[in-house]
Structure formats: C-alpha cells, structure tokens
C-alpha cells in the first residue's frame, strides 16, 4: 500500500479524527453518566435522611435518644435493605449506627464521621464505596444531630462498567466500519484520477486529438478533467498552428528556390563569365541546392506530421524495393569508393506507401555511404524475423558515439555539426525516416560502435499482420 497516496492520507486522517472524537465522546459520556447516577442515588439517600429527621429526630429529646436505635431498626431495618444509617449527636457521640449489611459489602464501623451541615459524599472503603447523604436536624429539645443515610455504590459502578464495556467494544467497531466505508468511498472517488493519469501519460504530440475521460460527476475531478482537456485542445491548436506554419513556409519557399536554381544553373553555363564570378556563382548554387534540400525535407516532414493524404497503400515486396534502390544508389557509392551489398529474401511483403518506404531506404543508404570513408562496406538486407519484416542497413564507417544515439532521430540533429555540414547534411534525413516508420506502424532502431560502424534496423509489420516485437 502506498502510504503517500492521497487516498491513504485521507483515510488515515479521517480514522484518526473519528477515533479522537469517539474517545472524547466516550469519556464525556462516562463522566456525565457517573455524575448523574450518583447524584440521583444521593438524592434518594438525602430524602431518606430528611424522613428520619422529620419522623424520629424532631420528636425525640436528648433524654429519650436511647429509644432511637430501636425505632430506626423497626421502621427502616437498614441491615436487611443493605443500607447504612448513623445518627450522631453534635458533640460527636454516636447515638445509632446500623450493623453489618446482609450482603456484608462494607463495615459500617469503618465509615469516618461526618461533619455538620447538609452534604453528600462518596466514601471509599477497602471492599466497596459508599454514597452517603448527611443532614443536620434538631431534636425536640433543640439538640442537633447529624443523620447519615447511605448505600453501596456498587450498583452505579456496575452500570458504569457495563456502559464502559459497551463503548469499548462498540466504538472500535464503529471506527472500523466508518474507515472501511471511507476507504471504499475514497477509492471510488479517486479512480477517475488513475484513469486520467493513464490517458494523460499516453498522450504525445502524435495523438494530441485524444482527451481525458470526463465523468459527469459534478465534482472537482470533473472540473480538472475538463480544464486539462481544454489545455490539451489549446496545445493541439498551437502545435497545429506551428506545423501549418512550417508546411506553408516550406511550400512557399519551394517555387522561388526552384526559380533561383534554374537561373543560377543557366548563368553558370554562360562561358563569358570571368573565372572569379563563376566560382562565386558555383558556391551560391551549392548553397541554394542545400537550401532546397532542407526545404524539401521540412516540407516532407510537415506533410508526414499532418498525417498527409498519402498515396493509396499497396502490397509490395520490400526486398525487391531494397534491391532496386541499392542499384540506383550504387553510382553515389562508387564515387566514394564504398561497396554496397544487398541481400534480400524473397516474399517479404509489406503494405504501405511505396514511395515513402523507398525514401526510408534512400535516407539510410545515403547516411551509410556518407558516413563511411572510402574503401568501406555497406550492406543492405531484408528478411522476415519473428513475424515482421526487417530492413537492415549496416556500415563499417565512423559510427555514432553512445551519447549521441538517443538524439539522431531529432530534427536538425547532427552528431558533429561542422563535420556533417561539410558533407551537406541538414540533420533531417533520420527524422523523415522515423516519421515514415510511425505512419506505417513500424519502428526504427540504431546500434553503433564509434569507429566500427553503425546498423539501422526498420521493423515493419508484414502485410495483413500487426507488428510484433522481434
Ligand atoms: N550511418 C551513419 N554513420 C555515422 N553517423 C551517422 C549515420 N547515420 C546518421 N549519422 C549521424 O546522425 C546525424 C543525423 O542523421 P540525418 O540523416 O538525420 O542527418 P544528415 O545526414 O546530417 O542530414 P540529411 O540526412 O538531412 O541530409 C548525422 O548528422 C550523422 O552525424
Ligand atoms: Mg542523412
């Protein structure tokens, strides 16, 4: 269980507060119940004391007080009813004290003397506690007597113990039920968060059209989902805008560049130009060609980004396409004294835009030839493996440093800017390869050892079959 999760923290806090509230309520209940029960009990004792004072003391003078014990025994029989009665003259002489009660719960002799005045008290004896009410009453001749009536507090103690037991078992059960309910509620309430997170993690620039699930719950989570979806919509619009800008700009640049190129080429053919001007013209033409290449690359990428209205897909033999393309590029390889070997198994049928997939082979071969010094070897192979079509372009050229490998498919990324600029690269070839692969549900991988060469592999689904991991 994740103890830092919002759900766990909410339930823990809720359980803690609930337990504290229940314990406080329990303590207050016991406290007030005890006070109420004892006050009620003492009230009864006080009434009885007043009764004794009214019926017996008020009509008895000091001379007749010897008859009091008998009268008390006759009228109230305290031992039989487990009651404590004591009549003490104001000078401290005990006129009457009840005997050991029937249930022998306490010894009346151990009860300390009471002070004068009306009051109640709880006396704790070794085996029991006694709740005693005392009043002062005057005899027939005005002699003051303290009349004490009490009884064992065991009854109220037992009631309190029962209530305490009830609270002690009931409250933990109530806390457990409440916490379990809270846990289920929190889990259910936070489930949309997990779904939103999973969807948000899966959204990339390629599927910005997707939206987070919006549950019509009317709560904060619905608001969050709606706000995030609006944010994704704004991002999508911004990214679409910038893609559109690149697409428009590269499209608009193509025509003037073609015109410039044509004009420069015809100018260069003018034999009357002085040598210096011709040299400058050649260099300008070279730069214009490079610029045209970059613009073409950008234009291709923007069309791929926009999920271009590509040519209808067709089934074709990838091996055959690879062999033809390698043949067409052999001139370029020969110029650099690099040998190109092509080995393709027949019947590797894939489905897609033939021209675009040819572009993949051209870009990979172009790189392999470009980044392999004279005398090197490039091999191109096409085969089926693990249920998918594999196209591999390997060279024994300069290789790519490990730290550059994760970046080679990024736009305008070149391992060594100055080196590749000299070789005319813009850093768009591999981005185009990756975009075409994505559009064909294929993927491209690279492995390389600097100084020993590089291998690029395209794994594409065979016609009619989804791509499986090879
Ligand atoms: N076969 C390879 N051997 C060594 N380095 C390579 C190889 N293929 C690509 N690279 C490195 O990866 C970088 C990116 O390649 P990419 O094809 O995208 O750009 P480029 O070849 O420089 O330019 P462009 O293809 O746009 O003309 C290259 O600049 C190069 O440094
Ligand atoms: Mg390239």
């Amino acid at each position: 269980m994740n103890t830092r999760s919002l759900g766990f923290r909410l339930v823990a806090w809720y359980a803690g507060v609930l337990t504290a509230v229940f314990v406080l309520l329990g303590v207050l209940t016991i406290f007030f119940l005890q006070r109420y029960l004892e006050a009620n009990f003492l009230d009864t004792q006080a009434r009885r004391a007043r009764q004794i004072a009214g019926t017996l003391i008020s009509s008895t003078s000091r001379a007749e007080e010897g008859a009091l014990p008998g009268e008390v025994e006759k009228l109230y029989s305290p031992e039989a009813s487990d009651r404590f009665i004591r009549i003490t003259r104001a000078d401290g002489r005990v006129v009457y004290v009840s005997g050991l009660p029937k249930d022998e719960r306490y010894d009346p002799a151990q009860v300390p003397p009471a002070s004068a005045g009306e009051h109640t008290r709880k006396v704790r004896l070794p085996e029991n506690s006694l709740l005693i009410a005392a009043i002062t009453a005057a005899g027939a001749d005005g002699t003051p007597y303290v009349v004490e009536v009490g009884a064992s507090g065991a009854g109220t103690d037992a009631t309190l113990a029962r209530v305490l037991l009830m609270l002690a078992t009931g409250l933990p059960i109530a806390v457990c039920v409440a916490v379990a309910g809270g846990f289920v509620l929190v889990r259910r309430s936070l489930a949309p968060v997990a779904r939103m997170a999973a969807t948000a993690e899966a959204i990339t620039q390629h599927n910005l059209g997707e939206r987070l699930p919006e549950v019509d719950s009317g709560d904060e989570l619905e608001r969050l989902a709606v706000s995030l979806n609006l944010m994704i919509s704004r991002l999508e619009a911004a990214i679409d805008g910038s893609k559109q800008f690149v697409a428009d700009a590269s499209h608009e640049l193509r025509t003037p560049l073609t015109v410039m190129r044509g004009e420069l080429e015809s100018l260069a053919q003018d034999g009357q130009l002085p040598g210096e001007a011709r040299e400058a013209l050649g260099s300008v033409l070279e730069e214009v060609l490079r610029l045209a290449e970059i613009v073409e690359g950008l234009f291709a990428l923007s069309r791929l980004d926009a999920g271009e209205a590509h040519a209808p897909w067709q089934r074709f033999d990838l091996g055959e396409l690879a062999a033809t393309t390698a043949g067409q590029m052999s001139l370029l390889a020969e110029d650099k004294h690099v040998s190109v070997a092509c080995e393709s198994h027949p019947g590797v049928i894939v489905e897609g835009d033939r021209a675009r997939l040819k572009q993949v082979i051209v870009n990979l071969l172009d790189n392999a030839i470009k980044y392999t010094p004279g005398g090197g070897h490039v091999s191109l192979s096409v085969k089926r493996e693990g249920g998918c079509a594999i196209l591999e372009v390997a060279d024994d050229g300069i290789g790519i440093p490990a730290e550059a490998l994760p970046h080679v498919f990024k736009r305008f990324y070149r391992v060594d800017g100055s080196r590749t600029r000299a070789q005319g690269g813009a850093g768009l070839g591999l981005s185009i390869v990756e975009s075409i692969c994505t559009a064909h549900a294929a993927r491209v991988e690279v492995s390389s050892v600097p100084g020993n060469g590089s291998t690029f592999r395209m794994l594409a689904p065979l016609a009619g079959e989804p791509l499986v991991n090879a």
Side-chain angles (χ1 to χ4, degrees):
M1 180 178 282
N2 179 6
T3 52
R4 292 179 66 188
S5 78
L6 195 60
F8 181 87
R9 282 189 288 165
L10 272 178
V11 173
W13 164 251
Y14 174 60
V17 169
L18 208 63
T19 309
V21 168
F22 278 178
V23 167
L24 189 70
L25 276 181
V27 169
L28 288 177
T29 306
I30 294 289
F31 177 72
F32 284 110
L33 187 65
Q34 184 182 24
R35 284 188 59 163
Y36 172 76
L37 288 176
E38 289 184 358
N40 245 358
F41 196 80
L42 285 166
D43 228 31
T44 312
Q45 311 310 318
R47 253 198 324 272
R48 190 130 310 142
R50 273 194 289 277
Q51 210 180 0
I52 294 173
T55 53
L56 298 177
I57 306 291
S58 61
S59 57
T60 307
S61 66
R62 184 168 177 163
E64 300 157 343
E65 70 183 23
L68 269 177
E71 293 286 326
V72 174
E73 293 283 343
K74 196 170 89 194
L75 283 173
Y76 300 99
S77 52
E79 289 95 2
S81 53
D82 295 328
R83 196 167 291 131
F84 166 79
I85 297 179
R86 185 163 61 187
I87 299 171
T88 316
R89 207 192 297 141
D91 59 12
R93 185 179 172 274
V94 176
V95 177
Y96 168 76
V97 61
S98 54
L100 208 60
K102 193 168 73 242
D103 58 7
E104 297 184 8
R105 285 197 185 182
Y106 57 89
D107 178 6
Q110 290 186 341
V111 180
S115 52
E118 218 177 301
H119 59 86
T120 54
R121 61 192 168 132
K122 186 171 188 173
V123 178
R124 292 187 192 282
L125 297 174
E127 325 77 43
N128 214 311
S129 65
L130 266 186
L131 292 166
I132 302 172
I135 65 161
T136 304
D141 55 357
T143 313
Y145 294 94
V146 175
V147 181
E148 289 170 276
V149 178
S152 155
T156 47
D157 288 350
T159 310
L160 280 175
R162 270 200 304 278
V163 174
L164 191 66
L165 183 73
M166 232 170 63
L167 290 176
T169 49
L171 293 190
I173 292 176
V175 169
C176 287
V177 170
V179 166
F183 191 68
V184 170
L185 194 76
V186 165
R187 272 196 89 136
R188 210 177 280 171
S189 316
L190 293 181
V193 176
R195 281 199 296 275
M196 277 199 281
T199 316
E201 279 161 16
I203 294 181
T204 64
Q205 54 158 331
H206 301 297
N207 59 348
L208 264 180
E210 281 192 22
R211 292 293 175 271
L212 305 182
E214 284 176 18
V215 191
D216 190 16
S217 54
D219 59 12
E220 292 82 352
L221 291 183
E222 185 192 347
R223 203 174 145 215
L224 179 68
V226 171
S227 310
L228 287 176
N229 279 341
L230 286 173
M231 187 187 78
I232 298 172
S233 299
R234 287 196 295 274
L235 277 178
E236 190 183 14
I239 290 181
D240 281 353
S242 70
K243 279 181 184 167
Q244 193 56 46
F245 173 76
V246 176
D248 291 347
S250 51
H251 184 261
E252 291 303 315
L253 285 171
R254 289 169 92 203
T255 320
L257 276 172
T258 316
V259 174
M260 275 165 80
R261 183 180 161 181
E263 298 280 349
L264 286 171
E265 274 170 355
S266 63
L267 249 180
Q269 278 159 16
D270 185 347
Q272 303 192 341
L273 275 181
E276 224 170 76
R278 200 189 309 238
E279 218 170 85
L281 205 62
S283 131
V284 173
L285 183 59
E286 210 173 274
E287 287 304 310
V288 167
L289 286 178
R290 233 176 72 75
L291 197 57
E293 241 172 59
I294 294 172
V295 168
E296 277 308 317
L298 278 177
F299 185 64
L301 274 172
S302 64
R303 287 188 55 179
L304 283 162
D305 278 350
E308 62 166 355
H310 51 64
W313 278 21
Q314 42 183 293
R315 284 171 179 235
F316 59 89
D317 192 321
L318 186 64
E320 183 223 299
L321 178 70
T324 328
T325 314
Q328 287 164 353
M329 295 190 70
S330 57
L331 264 182
L332 179 74
E334 272 167 32
D335 277 356
K336 266 206 77 182
H337 306 290
V338 170
S339 72
V340 177
C342 179
E343 180 201 346
S344 55
H345 292 257
V348 183
I349 309 296
V350 293
E351 194 167 2
D353 182 336
R354 198 182 153 96
R356 286 283 176 219
L357 287 173
K358 181 180 169 130
Q359 179 86 53
V360 169
I361 305 171
V362 169
N363 287 7
L364 293 180
L365 274 180
D366 178 58
N367 281 351
I369 296 168
K370 200 155 62 174
Y371 302 114
T372 300
H377 306 277
V378 171
S379 74
L380 169 65
S381 75
V382 173
K383 59 189 172 191
R384 312 165 67 111
E385 201 180 281
C388 60
I390 307 228
L391 178 132
E392 201 172 273
V393 177
D395 63 63
D396 55 3
I398 57 175
I400 304 166
E403 65 276 8
L405 277 181
H407 308 291
V408 290
F409 294 102
K410 289 183 185 160
R411 292 171 190 192
F412 293 110
Y413 179 82
R414 291 168 305 181
V415 173
D416 175 350
S418 56
R419 178 191 82 196
T420 42
R421 195 184 144 81
Q423 286 166 320
L428 289 176
L430 288 178
S431 319
I432 294 173
V433 166
E434 195 183 40
S435 290
I436 296 174
C437 285
T438 307
H440 284 80
R443 64 169 199 273
V444 57
E445 295 169 351
V446 57
S447 60
S448 182
V449 179
N452 268 351
S454 318
T455 304
F456 284 83
R457 272 158 70 91
M458 176 185 79
L459 295 88
L462 287 165
E465 288 175 36
L467 182 66
V468 287
N469 285 331

